[in-house]
Every structure is written in structure tokens, then in C-alpha cells.
């Protein structure tokens, strides 16, 4: 992830009382009697829940993508290791049959101009309206230690590749066109998230993409933006990011509950600055799925040498992959 400024993170720990919805059950009860035998309501509910839980997202495949990235070493913007990571991502996306584009830009950073590249893979749908699913693929640069970013940068990139593979293999065209976007330069070069450049030393890739959408008059064509960041923690808990668009949050949290993953998607809020913000500022609905509670017994792994593969799990990657994939039908239905 990201660099979410530690100081800017406000956890609003007001716990909401979980409201259990019985809409499904009452629908079944009140519907007119069908011809022939009908299964008991409990059996219908169980079958539906089981069906909604399952997608082709393979947690082991996603984990293997994270491992491959970690093996390239630290991957800050402009590094040779990030070039290798990009080649790996592009090779994977092409093997799924997706059309890929590399968008190169050279922003001014505290270290001078640095060449960065966003990766975009497109899956055409019935409509040219676009839903973006995204992650950053750079890692934060540290001189003092080897920062491997298994969770922060690695996990969401691995999951996004696996989401792209699953969706590219779907038999039916989706209602909307999907773009799988891998942002470069999310992390700040200065130690703190907004220490330098008046707070603009971060989210270089997402700001570049939004600038480009604006200059090309394509903002209205982007119907929704889903951002994944730090989603591999073995102890997965994704709170609702409070600046995210509420209808996207509700669609995703509802899918998580229906899939039986409600405990990983609690109702409490957190505020995180991340790659979704430039999209929100441009008026594009966006949501950030991020587990910022990345620690064990009070020891935080975020932006430390301990952000390593052993802290993340294939299971957490699958939970997030499943929930994102399962939420897409309802998100599509909510777009006018
Ligand atoms: Zn980070």
C-alpha cells in the first residue's frame, strides 16, 4: 500500500450493531407456492450461501504472484526490480488473453524526475463504460533495511492478477468493460506520506491516470474504481474506509456477509489516504479495501523489514478475491 500517513489515520471505533437481514428468508416464505415440491427454506438459503461463496479465484496462485514479487527484492519506483515486476505482471496478463497498455510518465519527485509506468489491462464488456479494479505495484524505498512489501504492494498486486485471470476466463461478457490497473509510484520518496512537495509526494500513478482521464474528457466513462491495498494479512480485518463511496462500500460489505466472510469486513470506519483519493476528487465513485491493522501483539509490520511472506496467507487473498468478484454483479446493477 500505500502510504497512508500514520497521522492521518483515524480509526472511528464506534462499533455498529450488526443488522441481520432476513429479507431473503421472508421472500421465500411469502412467495406464491410453486408447482411441485419445494425445498425447505433452510436448504434454499444454505445452497444460495454456498453458491455465493465460491468463485474460481485460487488463493495459491495469488500467493505465488506475491512470492514472485518478493523474490525480485525491494521494488521502489524507478528501480530495476520494479522493471522485472512489471515484465512479470505483463506476461501474466497477456497469458490470460488480455490487451495491455503501459502508460509511461515522468513526474517530479523529491529525488528529481523519475520514470514511472502504470499498467492497464482491459476486458471488454457489453458497454464501453469502465469499472476499474486496481492496486499499486511499487514498494516504499528504504535505505536502512530491505523492504520487501509482501503485504504492502505485493498482496494486492497478486490478488489483482488472479482476479484478472478469473474474469478473463468467464464465458459471458460482462455488462461493463473492466480495466485492471497497476499503479506505479504510490509510495512517498520522503520518509512520511506528505512530508514533501506540499503533500504531493505520493500516489503519482493514480494522480497521473486521473489527470489523463480529465485531459482526454474520459472521466464520465469511469463508472467505479475499486482499490485493493494490504489485503494479505493472515489476520484479515478490513474496516470501511470512510471517504470511499458508500454505495460501493455497502455492495462489497453485503457480498462479504452473504459469502460468510462478515467477520473479516466489520462495520467500523477508518480513514486512509490512498490511490482512490484522486478518483474521488475527480467525481468518480471509488472504494479502498485495506487492512491497515497489520501487526501482531502490538508490533506493526507496516513499512518495516518484517513485511514478509510469512505474515500473509493464500486464504486472506482468496477471501478478498472472492468478495470482490462476488460483488461485481450488484455493483453493475447499481450503475445507471
Ligand atoms: Zn506503504
Amino acid at each position: 500500500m500505500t502510504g497512508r500517513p500514520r497521522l492521518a489515520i483515524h480509526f472511528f471505533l464506534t462499533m455498529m450493531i450488526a443488522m441481520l437481514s432476513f429479507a431473503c428468508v421472508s421472500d421465500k416464505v411469502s412467495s406464491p407456492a410453486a408447482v411441485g415440491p419445494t425445498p425447505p427454506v433452510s436448504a434454499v438459503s444454505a445452497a444460495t450461501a454456498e453458491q455465493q461463496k465460491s468463485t474460481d479465484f485460487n488463493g495459491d496462485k495469488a500467493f505465488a504472484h506475491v512470492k514472485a514479487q518478493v523474490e525480485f527484492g525491494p521494488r521502489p519506483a524507478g528501480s530495476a526490480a520494479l522493471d522485472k515486476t512489471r515484465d512479470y505482471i505483463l506476461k501474466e496478463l497477456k497469458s490470460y488473453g488480455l490487451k495491455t497498455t503501459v502508460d509511461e510518465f515522468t513526474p517530479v519527485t523529491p529525488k528529481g524526475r523519475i520514470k514511472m509506468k502504470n499498467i492497464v489491462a482491459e476486458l471488454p464488456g457489453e458497454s464501453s463504460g469502465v469499472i476499474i479494479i486496481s492496486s499499486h505495484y511499487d514498494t516504499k524505498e528504504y535505505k536502512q533495511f530491505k523492504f520487501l512489501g509482501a503485504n504492502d504492494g505485493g498482496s494486492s498486486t497478486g490478488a489483482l492478477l488472479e482476479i484478472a485471470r478469473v474474469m478473463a476466463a468467464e464465458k459471458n461478457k460482462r455488462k461493463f468493460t473492466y480495466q485492471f490497473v497497476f499503479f506505479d509510484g504510490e509510495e512517498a520518496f520522503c520518509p512520511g506520506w506528505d512530508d514533501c512537495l506540499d503533500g504531493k509526494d505520493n500516489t503519482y500513478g493514480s494522480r497521473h491516470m486521473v489527470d489523463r482521464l480529465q485531459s482526454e474528457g474520459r472521466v464520465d466513462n469511469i463508472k467505479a474504481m475499486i482499490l485493493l491495498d494490504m489485503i494479505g494479512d493472515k489476520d484479515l480485518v478490513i474496516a470501511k474506509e470512510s471517504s470511499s463511496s458508500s454505495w460501493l462500500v455497502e455492495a462489497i460489505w453485503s457480498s462479504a456477509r452473504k459469502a460468510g466472510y462478515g467477520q473479516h469486513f466489520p462495520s467500523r470506519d477508518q480513514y486512509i489516504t490512498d490511490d482512490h483519493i484522486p478518483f474521488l476528487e475527480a467525481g468518480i465513485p471509488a472504494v479502498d479495501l485495506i487492512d491497515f491493522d497489520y501487526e501482531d501483539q502490538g508490533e506493526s509490520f507496516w513499512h518495516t523489514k518484517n513485511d514478509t511472506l510469512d505474515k500473509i496467507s493464500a486464504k486472506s487473498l482468496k477471501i478478498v478475491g472472492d468478495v470482490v468478484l462476488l460483488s461485481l454483479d450488484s455493483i453493475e446493477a447499481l450503475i445507471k
Side-chain angles (χ1 to χ4, degrees):
M1 119 197 137
T2 217
R4 49 266 40 296
R6 231 170 191 155
L7 290 176
I9 294 158
H10 309 291
F11 290 88
F12 298 103
L13 291 170
T14 11
M15 295 294 293
M16 306 283 288
I17 295 169
M19 301 293 287
L20 293 173
S21 167
F22 295 100
C24 184
V25 173
S26 51
D27 283 354
K28 299 288 177 201
V29 171
S30 62
S31 60
V35 177
T38 51
V41 168
S42 58
V44 172
S45 301
T48 308
E50 196 52 44
Q51 190 183 8
Q52 284 172 330
K53 234 178 193 178
S54 128
T55 79
D56 290 338
F57 187 102
N58 184 317
D60 292 329
K61 283 189 182 192
F63 190 89
H65 294 318
V66 184
K67 184 165 181 281
Q69 293 170 80
V70 167
E71 285 172 354
F72 290 133
R75 308 173 297 285
S79 67
L82 196 62
D83 289 342
K84 286 184 193 162
T85 308
R86 186 180 313 109
D87 290 346
Y88 177 90
I89 293 169
L90 284 165
K91 193 174 164 205
E92 284 296 318
L93 293 168
K94 285 172 185 166
S95 77
Y96 310 152
L98 294 167
K99 192 186 93 182
T100 61
T101 312
V102 174
D103 184 10
E104 185 176 317
F105 56 107
T106 316
V108 174
T109 78
K111 291 178 68 182
R113 284 199 177 270
I114 290 187
K115 195 179 284 181
M116 299 186 191
K117 295 175 181 179
N118 289 340
I119 302 166
V120 181
E122 187 162 294
L123 178 65
E126 286 169 9
S127 150
S128 62
V130 168
I131 296 175
I132 290 171
I133 311 178
S134 57
S135 160
H136 76 91
Y137 73 103
D138 63 308
T139 57
K140 187 160 175 68
E141 184 175 51
Y142 284 100
K143 301 270 190 257
Q144 319 86 294
F145 60 88
K146 220 169 140 182
F147 179 69
L148 292 171
N151 195 27
D152 191 355
S155 64
S156 50
T157 299
L160 182 55
L161 278 173
E162 179 59 2
I163 287 171
R165 183 192 69 81
V166 170
M167 292 182 68
E170 285 176 349
K171 286 193 190 74
N172 299 323
K173 249 191 183 182
R174 286 206 163 255
K175 190 172 164 192
F176 289 93
T177 294
Y178 279 81
Q179 287 184 351
F180 308 104
V181 180
F182 300 78
F183 296 117
D184 202 341
E186 185 263 3
E187 298 285 6
F189 289 91
C190 286
W193 178 251
D194 45 14
D195 286 352
C196 299
L197 303 180
D198 292 328
K200 295 290 185 194
D201 173 32
N202 54 56
T203 60
Y204 291 96
S206 50
R207 287 188 291 116
H208 168 75
M209 184 169 188
V210 170
D211 283 350
R212 190 160 173 181
L213 289 169
Q214 284 173 325
S215 66
E216 294 173 358
R218 292 191 290 132
V219 166
D220 290 348
N221 199 42
I222 311 298
K223 307 303 180 188
M225 187 270 197
I226 301 168
L227 176 64
L228 311 180
D229 198 359
M230 296 176 68
I231 44 90
D233 188 357
K234 279 179 175 169
D235 176 20
L236 183 71
V237 181
I238 298 181
K240 294 177 173 176
E241 198 289 308
S242 47
S243 52
S244 298
S245 306
S246 56
W247 66 273
L248 282 171
V249 170
E250 293 316 317
I252 292 168
W253 262 247
S254 167
S255 294
R257 278 193 302 272
K258 286 180 191 163
Y261 295 138
Q263 75 272 29
H264 300 290
F265 289 77
S267 295
R268 72 169 183 268
D269 289 332
Q270 59 179 345
Y271 171 70
I272 305 280
T273 309
D274 208 343
D275 279 320
H276 63 314
I277 299 291
F279 287 81
L280 286 169
E281 287 175 349
I284 296 168
V287 57
D288 188 12
L289 302 183
I290 178 166
D291 175 2
F292 198 70
D293 186 17
Y294 184 39
E295 53 92 28
D296 188 31
Q297 297 181 341
E299 182 199 353
S300 176
F301 307 133
W302 177 61
H303 287 183
T304 74
K305 63 180 181 357
N306 295 320
D307 184 358
T308 46
L309 270 186
D310 56 304
K311 311 297 188 308
I312 71 166
S313 72
K315 189 180 172 206
S316 293
L317 299 173
K318 167 133 181 89
I319 290 169
V320 174
D322 276 351
V323 168
V324 169
L325 288 165
L326 292 168
S327 69
L328 297 179
D329 283 349
S330 52
I331 288 172
E332 289 180 6
L334 289 164
I335 296 170
K336 299 210 172 60

